């Protein structure tokens, strides 16, 4: 996700479109990215954090959360 | 003097960058993304385009190309490096320059001739300009909004490392109207607008952009 202090004009454009479509009550929208990685059990959380921080996100502008889900 | 011009899959402006290098009087050397080889060049231009389709983020995948490992090593050794547009994004992703580029504030792809002010004429790429000179070069991008942490921006401003600033209308909402910056040594410069598209009156809005390429040739002559 873009960091809170980063202006997100794409999210704002979505937020402005919602009332026009008849959806009231949404005060803010932030747009980010979602990656789904299928990994072996050998890939630990530390490695996933490294992938997220060093490649999938740019720490200058984005925060990330890693969530492991069993399939 | 030999100046390398990098080509990634999706690079668009390597031909114009090589033409600018030749026009300035240096020898342009094509550098291929997959070759970890700088072919004996004295400086490198990382040109604009959409390397790797801008997948993930602009410049995010290009920085892992074999040639970039060599560029990063050479840059740390003092070789002058210029990143233009996508090349600027690549240098930021590679950690050679601080900050990042975001989607333009207006969400539009902006393509127009843009006035810039040269705020630092001491870098390897800007000695041919007077400080405060205004130059006209094309800008063309959708992810051109320079941003960095407040502490980084404060540091850039305090050290005079903002090299180019938008004059008049800021095309993308960049912090402090920043169009281009340099590293602490003044040898690595990145900017979003395109000096390589402004080297003669026939093909560009001015020949102002040629000054960057002439400057780096001067720096080589001075060093030698």
């Amino acid at each position: 996700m873009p960091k809170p202090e980063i202006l997100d004009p794409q999210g704002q454009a979505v937020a402005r479109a919602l009332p026009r479509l008849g959806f009231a009550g949404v005060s803010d929208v932030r747009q980010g990215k979602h990656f789904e990685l299928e990994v072996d059990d050998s890939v630990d959380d530390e490695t996933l954090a490294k992938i997220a921080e060093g490649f999938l996100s740019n720490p200058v502008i984005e925060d990330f959360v890693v969530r492991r889900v069993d399939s | 003097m030999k100046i390398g011009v990098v080509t990634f899959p999706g690079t668009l402006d390597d031909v114009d960058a090589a033409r600018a290098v030749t026009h300035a009087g240096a020898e342009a050397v094509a550098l291929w993304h997959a070759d970890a080889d700088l072919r004996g060049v004295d400086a490198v231009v990382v040109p604009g385009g959409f390397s790797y389709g801008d997948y993930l983020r602009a410049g995010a995948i290009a920085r892992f190309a074999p040639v970039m490992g060599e560029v990063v090593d050479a840059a740390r050794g003092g070789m002058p490096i210029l990143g233009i547009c996508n090349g600027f994004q690549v240098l930021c992703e590679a950690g050679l320059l601080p900050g990042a580029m975001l989607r333009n504030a207006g969400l539009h792809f902006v393509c127009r001739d843009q006035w810039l002010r040269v705020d630092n004429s001491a870098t390897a790429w800007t000695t041919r300009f007077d400080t405060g000179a205004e130059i006209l070069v094309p800008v063309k991008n959708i992810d051109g909004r320079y941003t960095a942490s407040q502490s980084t921006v404060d540091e850039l401003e305090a050290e005079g490392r903002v090299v180019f600033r938008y004059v008049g209308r800021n095309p993308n909402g960049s912090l402090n109207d920043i169009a281009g910056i340099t590293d602490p040594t003044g040898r690595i410069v990145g900017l979003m607008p395109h000096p390589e598209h402004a080297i003669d009156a026939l093909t560009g809005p001015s020949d102002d952009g040629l000054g960057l390429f002439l400057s780096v040739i001067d720096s080589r002559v001075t060093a030698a």
Side-chain angles (χ1 to χ4, degrees), chain B residues 89 101-102 104 141-146 166 172 174 192:
Chain B
Q89 295 159 340
M101 253 59 68
L102 292 160
N104 291 345
N141 61 64
I142 192 168
D143 290 311
R145 177 164 51 110
Y146 181 80
Y166 299 114
N172 50 44
S174 65
M192 287 311 297

Side-chain angles (χ1 to χ4, degrees), chain B residues 130-181:
Chain B
D130 293 327
T131 302
E134 296 191 358
I135 65 174
L136 184 64
V137 297
V139 63
K140 47 163 195 165
N141 61 64
I142 192 168
D143 290 311
R145 177 164 51 110
Y146 181 80
T147 194
S149 68
Q150 191 58 49
S151 62
T152 300
V153 173
D154 291 345
E155 189 181 314
L156 289 172
E157 293 287 1
E159 296 176 2
R161 287 167 52 197
V162 176
V163 181
F164 299 102
R165 229 182 276 271
Y166 299 114
V167 176
R169 195 154 51 109
N170 181 330
N172 50 44
S174 65
L175 284 178
N176 293 17
D177 297 329
I178 290 172
I181 59 169

